[in-house]
């Protein structure tokens, strides 16, 4: 399988959300990446259910929802209802991660776990077989447009080895500061899904930029 591209809607023009959703539909992108921030887990607030519902009306591809919120268990069922296909929670926000993963799957969604830059990959050794996707944060979560943290490559290689050693099928996603320079290196290291926000939506030709990342 070639790698997947998930444009981050956080970097879209919210006054032209339908237009930007259609742009992603028409492009070579595979998923919509949707960042939910609560102002508590991260120092920023993005958007919530009404906006996700609006995106769902126009998005013709998989909805990959990344929760940067405390106590995500409270809203698992609600995110399913508003259209999430994949629901990713933060390792650092879950006291009972295994229970949370089960709850996400019981709603019929794929379960993802995101790791902050300071969180070691090996903390997932006892849950990796229950995780559909690990999102390695390559910036500190909370804002788009930050620069890529180089240690991410080591984490991808380490995670790939962990997945292999446990005979798991977990996919590796990279989120934050992804661009045309680091994309091929990330894919080479073992990344399966690349999230990109600013690099796509701030470019002159977002459809062309998506195609470029897809060909990385
Ligand atoms: C960061 C978010 C990312 C962000 C990526 O907290 O989780 O998904 O939108 O944006 P760029 O690609 O601009 O770093
Ligand atoms: Zn994200």
């Amino acid at each position: 399988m070639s790698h997947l591209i998930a444009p981050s809607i956080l970097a879209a023009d919210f006054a032209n959300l339908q237009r930007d959703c259609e742009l992603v539909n028409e492009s070579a992108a595979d998923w919509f990446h949707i960042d939910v921030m609560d102002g508590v887990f991260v120092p920023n607030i993005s958007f919530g259910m009404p906006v996700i519902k609006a995106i769902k009306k126009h998005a013709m591809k998989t909805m990959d929802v990344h929760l940067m919120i405390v106590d995500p268990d409270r809203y698992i069922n609600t995110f399913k209802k508003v259209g999430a296909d994949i629901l990713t929670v933060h390792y650092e926000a879950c006291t009972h991660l295994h229970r949370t993963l089960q709850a996400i799957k019981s709603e019929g969604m794929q379960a993802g776990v995101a790791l902050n830059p300071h969180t070691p990959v090996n903390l997932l050794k006892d849950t990796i077989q229950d995780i559909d996707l690990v999102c390695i944060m390559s910036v500190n979560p909370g804002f788009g447009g930050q620069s890529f943290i180089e240690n991410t490559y080591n984490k991808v290689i380490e995670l790939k080895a962990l997945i292999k050693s446990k005979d798991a099928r977990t996919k590796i996603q990279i989120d934050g500061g992804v661009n045309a320079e680091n994309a091929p290196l990330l894919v080479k290291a073992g990344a399966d899904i690349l999230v990109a926000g600013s690099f796509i939506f701030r470019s002159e030709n977002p459809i062309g930029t998506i195609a470029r990342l897809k060909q990385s």
Side-chain angles (χ1 to χ4, degrees):
M1 180 191 88
S2 84
H3 62 281
L4 306 182
I5 304 298
S8 175
I9 296 302
L10 188 66
D13 178 355
F14 291 163
N16 286 289
L17 208 41
Q18 178 174 352
R19 182 200 67 192
D20 282 356
C21 286
E22 284 166 358
L23 179 157
V24 174
N25 288 338
E26 284 164 30
S27 75
D30 300 277
W31 295 355
F32 283 77
H33 183 82
I34 296 164
D35 290 306
V36 179
M37 304 176 180
D38 66 355
V40 180
F41 181 71
V42 287
N44 193 15
I45 298 176
S46 57
F47 48 75
M49 312 308 174
V51 174
I52 300 176
K53 258 194 204 163
I55 295 169
K56 178 69 181 173
K57 270 205 326 215
H58 303 289
M60 298 301 165
K61 297 178 177 178
T62 298
M63 300 264 289
D64 167 36
V65 178
H66 174 194
L67 300 183
M68 284 157 274
I69 66 173
V70 295
D71 202 1
D73 301 64
R74 291 172 296 167
Y75 298 110
I76 291 172
N77 174 260
T78 314
F79 282 110
K80 170 69 184 177
K81 283 192 192 141
V82 296
D85 298 300
I86 302 164
L87 197 62
T88 296
V89 294
H90 263 264
Y91 178 88
E92 304 82 9
C94 296
T95 312
H96 299 286
L97 181 64
H98 186 263
R99 180 182 289 152
T100 304
L101 295 171
Q102 284 177 317
I104 295 172
K105 288 183 184 178
S106 73
E107 291 287 352
M109 295 178 285
Q110 289 188 54
V113 177
L115 299 179
N116 276 341
H118 75 275
T119 305
V121 158
N122 65 20
L123 289 174
L124 297 179
K125 96 180 157 51
D126 293 311
T127 41
I128 197 75
Q129 277 148 327
D130 303 299
I131 303 173
D132 295 304
L133 170 164
V134 174
C135 174
I136 298 182
M137 292 306 303
S138 36
V139 296
N140 284 295
F143 303 92
Q146 303 179 81
S147 25
F148 181 82
I149 297 172
E150 296 289 324
N151 185 47
T152 305
Y153 300 115
N154 298 329
K155 290 180 89 168
V156 176
I157 292 165
E158 228 182 291
L159 178 58
K160 194 87 188 160
L162 173 65
I163 293 168
K164 202 168 168 220
S165 75
K166 298 280 184 177
D167 211 12
R169 310 179 69 115
T170 318
K171 299 292 178 213
I172 302 176
Q173 181 178 61
I174 310 299
D175 187 9
V178 170
N179 57 36
E181 254 171 65
N182 54 34
L185 304 174
L186 288 165
V187 172
K188 199 165 164 230
D192 301 296
I193 306 127
L194 302 178
V195 174
S198 324
F199 188 69
I200 291 174
F201 288 102
R202 283 193 206 150
S203 69
E204 243 167 60
N205 171 10
I207 292 195
T209 304
I210 293 169
R212 198 166 152 212
L213 289 173
K214 184 76 184 172
Q215 283 153 19
S216 297

